Amino acid sequence: MIPSAPTVTISAPRGSIACVGLGMTLGSHLTPLARSHIEQADVVFAALSDGIVERWLERMHPDVRSLQPYYAQGKSRLKTYREWVAVMMAEVRAGKRVCAVFYGHPGVFAWSPHKVIEAARAEGFPAHMEPGISAEDCLYADLGIDPGRFGCQHFEASQLLFYERRIDPTAYLVLWQVGVVGNPSIARPDQNVAYRELLVEVLARDYPLDHELLIYRCATLPIEQPRVRRMTLRELTGADIPAEETVVLPPARALQRNAQLTARLAALDAEQVA
C-alpha cells in the first residue's frame, strides 16, 4: 500500500501596515527605513502635500494610491479620514503588506495613521509607525526658535475655540491649521473670517492686538525657500492663511522668577554643601 502524501497547509499571507513619514522637503528628508517600507510593500497609500511629491513617490513603487480624492468641498475632514482608515484596512485584511506614506511625521497632526495602526493591532495584524521630519522640526530650524529657552506650546487652533485651554504668554505659542479654524469641513476662503475673528478674540485675552506674530510655511521642494510673513494679531482676522501655514506668536511677557521656590532651592543647595 502506497502511503498517502502528507497534507500541506498553505496559510494565507498575513497582512501588515507601516505608516511612514516622507518628511517635509521632497527627497531630502526620507530615511532609509521609511524607503525600505515603501519599496517592500505590496500596495502604497499616499497622503502627501501635492501632486509633484506623489509622482516622485511613484518612481519608488508601481502601486501608489493617492488618498487626496477622498477630500471634497464641504465634506467633514473626519469622514474623509475614516474613509482612509477603511480603505487601508481592507488591503491589510486581504493579506497585503501595506505602506501608508504621509508628508512630515505620520504621527503629528495626523488622525488616520494612529487610528489605522490601532485598528490593525486590535485585529492582530503587525503595525508600525516610522517617524519623519515634521513641520515642527523645520519651524525650529527656519525661525531660529529653541523651545528650551522660553518653552513652546502647540495647539490645533480650533481647540482654543472648542475647549478651555490655558495659554502661557511667556512662552512661544504655535497654532496649527489656523486656515480652517473652527470649521470641520474643507472650508471656502470666504467662510474663514468669522471663525478667525473668534480666534483673535480668544488670543487677545493674553496678547495685545499689536503683538507681532509670524505666519510660517516650510519648504516642500528643494528649490523652494521657507515662507515667513509678519503681521500683528489684529491683522490675523483678514489674512490669507492656507491650511498648511502655521501661526507663531513669540512671547509677549518676560518670565517671572518664582521667589518662593528659588529660596527653597537655595536652601537645598546649602544643605548639600553642609
Side-chain angles (χ1 to χ4, degrees):
M1 181 176 179
I2 300 175
S4 59
T7 302
V8 178
T9 301
I10 301 176
S11 60
R14 189 182 184 198
S16 65
I17 186 164
C19 294
V20 308
L22 201 62
M24 299 305 300
T25 304
L26 176 63
S28 60
H29 289 173
L30 182 65
T31 67
L33 279 174
R35 179 184 290 273
S36 176
H37 281 294
I38 294 169
E39 293 175 342
Q40 295 180 20
D42 296 315
V43 57
V44 175
F45 289 97
L48 302 175
S49 55
D50 55 54
I52 295 175
V53 182
E54 284 190 4
R55 288 193 291 274
W56 180 83
L57 180 63
E58 289 168 357
R59 294 162 52 188
M60 299 173 56
H61 197 280
D63 189 1
V64 174
R65 306 177 190 180
S66 175
L67 294 170
Q68 294 297 332
Y70 289 89
Y71 284 119
Q73 186 72 43
K75 181 180 179 180
S76 166
R77 284 177 284 158
L78 184 56
K79 182 178 180 180
T80 296
Y81 300 154
R82 291 186 188 279
E83 290 173 346
W84 289 5
V85 173
V87 72
M88 289 186 285
M89 282 302 301
E91 295 297 332
V92 172
R93 296 184 185 111
K96 302 288 184 64
R97 291 175 298 177
V98 177
C99 182
V101 185
F102 298 83
Y103 67 89
H105 189 303
V108 177
F109 286 90
W111 186 89
S112 299
H114 288 290
K115 287 299 178 180
V116 74
I117 286 177
E118 178 183 314
R121 288 174 176 170
E123 296 183 26
F125 296 106
H128 172 74
M129 179 178 288
E130 187 63 32
I133 294 177
S134 68
E136 177 187 350
D137 301 313
C138 297
L139 181 150
Y140 292 142
D142 293 333
L143 300 184
I145 294 174
D146 180 355
R149 185 179 181 191
F150 299 115
C152 194
Q153 308 160 95
H154 293 261
F155 292 109
E156 199 278 332
S158 293
Q159 287 191 3
L160 296 183
L161 304 185
F162 299 155
Y163 305 101
E164 293 285 345
R165 304 305 304 262
R166 182 177 297 177
I167 294 174
D168 179 2
T170 67
Y172 284 96
L173 175 64
V174 181
L175 298 178
W176 301 91
Q177 299 180 333
V178 170
V180 291
V181 63
N183 195 328
S185 68
I186 301 300
R188 297 192 308 267
D190 59 356
Q191 290 179 310
N192 290 342
V193 174
Y195 296 107
R196 198 98 48 79
E197 287 177 346
L198 292 177
L199 176 63
V200 170
E201 180 181 323
V202 170
L203 294 173
R205 299 171 187 170
D206 295 289
Y207 299 89
L209 288 174
D210 60 355
H211 186 66
E212 185 178 77
L213 50 82
L214 307 173
I215 311 296
Y216 169 76
R217 180 178 181 177
C218 66
T220 57
L221 298 176
I223 60 174
E224 293 179 340
Q225 293 296 320
R227 181 183 181 187
V228 182
R229 294 181 285 157
R230 298 177 183 271
M231 65 182 65
T232 65
L233 177 58
R234 180 183 289 105
E235 295 170 321
L236 182 63
T237 298
D240 179 19
I241 305 178
E244 63 270 16
E245 293 192 337
T246 304
V247 175
V248 181
L249 283 77
R253 303 177 192 170
L255 290 169
Q256 299 296 312
R257 183 172 292 275
N258 189 321
Q260 182 180 14
L261 285 180
T262 300
R264 292 176 63 182
L265 287 169
L268 289 173
D269 291 341
E271 290 177 6
Q272 297 298 322
V273 174

